């Protein structure tokens, strides 16, 4: 679950075109814990400005309408969860729920990191994803190693 989801949804539904730069910047900065270069945040804000209000509305509506994917537990898909301990969007309890729902799922916790793990710790993020992708996967009938990346 996302703390403050309903308040955020209400704010998103008030958006009209063009979506205000102030809203976009406040939203993007709210996902970050570790300082990032202003030039990087400016690029993220510029890219986000390309989204019309109806896209923001659709994204939040889709997020709120989507319940937990309980079938993930039966899919047998190797799963890596990447989470920043200072994530202001999804709390640790949400990660624990996913871990309980998905047998064999792995959780990498990034200390002093917010929601945007891939922005705040890009080298560690890539390293962890690549290490996960290189792990052998146990399948019926034997073990299959993923192709080298």
């Amino acid at each position: 679950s996302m703390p403050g989801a309903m308040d955020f949804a209400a704010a998103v539904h008030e958006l009209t075109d063009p979506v205000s730069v102030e809203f976009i910047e406040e939203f993007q900065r709210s996902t970050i814990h570790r300082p990032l270069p202003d030039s990087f945040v400016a690029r993220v804000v510029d890219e986000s400005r390309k989204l019309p209000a109806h896209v923001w509305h659709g994204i939040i509506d889709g997020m709120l309408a989507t319940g937990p994917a309980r079938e993930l537990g039966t899919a047998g898909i190797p799963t890596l969860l990447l989470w920043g301990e200072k994530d202001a969007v999804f709390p640790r309890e949400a990660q624990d729920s996913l871990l309980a729902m998905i047998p064999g799922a792995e959780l990498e916790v990034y200390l002093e990191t917010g929601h945007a793990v891939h922005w705040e710790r890009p080298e560690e993020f890539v390293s962890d994803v690549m290490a996960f992708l290189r792990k052998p996967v146990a399948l019926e009938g034997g073990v299959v190693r993923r192709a080298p990346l």
Side-chain angles (χ1 to χ4, degrees):
S1 70
M2 185 175 136
M6 299 316 286
D7 291 339
F8 181 65
V12 167
H13 279 288
E14 291 178 11
L15 296 175
T16 58
D17 291 322
V19 176
S20 80
V21 173
E22 294 79 19
F23 175 86
I24 294 169
E25 184 163 353
E26 180 181 341
F27 167 70
Q28 294 297 2
R29 287 193 182 277
S30 76
T31 68
I32 301 166
H33 176 73
R34 293 168 53 102
L36 293 173
D38 287 337
S39 60
F40 177 83
V41 175
R43 276 197 324 267
V44 169
V45 170
D46 284 345
E47 288 300 313
S48 297
R49 290 180 69 198
K50 295 176 183 178
L51 300 176
H54 76 88
V55 173
W56 287 86
H57 301 165
I59 291 169
I60 194 67
D61 289 346
M63 287 176 63
L64 294 175
T66 304
R70 304 233 180 264
E71 64 274 4
L72 288 176
T74 61
I77 300 169
T79 304
L80 175 64
L81 305 172
L82 304 166
W83 179 73
E85 73 160 341
K86 301 292 185 179
D87 190 331
V89 180
F90 295 106
R92 175 61 193 250
E93 294 78 25
Q95 311 315 306
D96 292 338
S97 292
L98 288 170
L99 284 172
M101 207 182 328
I102 307 168
E106 299 176 30
L107 174 63
E108 287 288 337
V109 176
Y110 296 81
L111 303 178
E112 293 300 316
T113 304
H115 183 71
V117 173
H118 57 299
W119 292 349
E120 295 180 49
R121 297 193 182 268
E123 295 84 10
E124 291 172 59
F125 173 85
V126 169
S127 177
D128 290 339
V129 169
M130 294 304 290
F132 179 78
L133 292 174
R134 288 186 177 113
K135 286 183 180 179
V137 179
L139 298 175
E140 285 184 39
V143 174
V144 176
R145 180 170 293 282
R146 292 182 177 96
L149 299 173

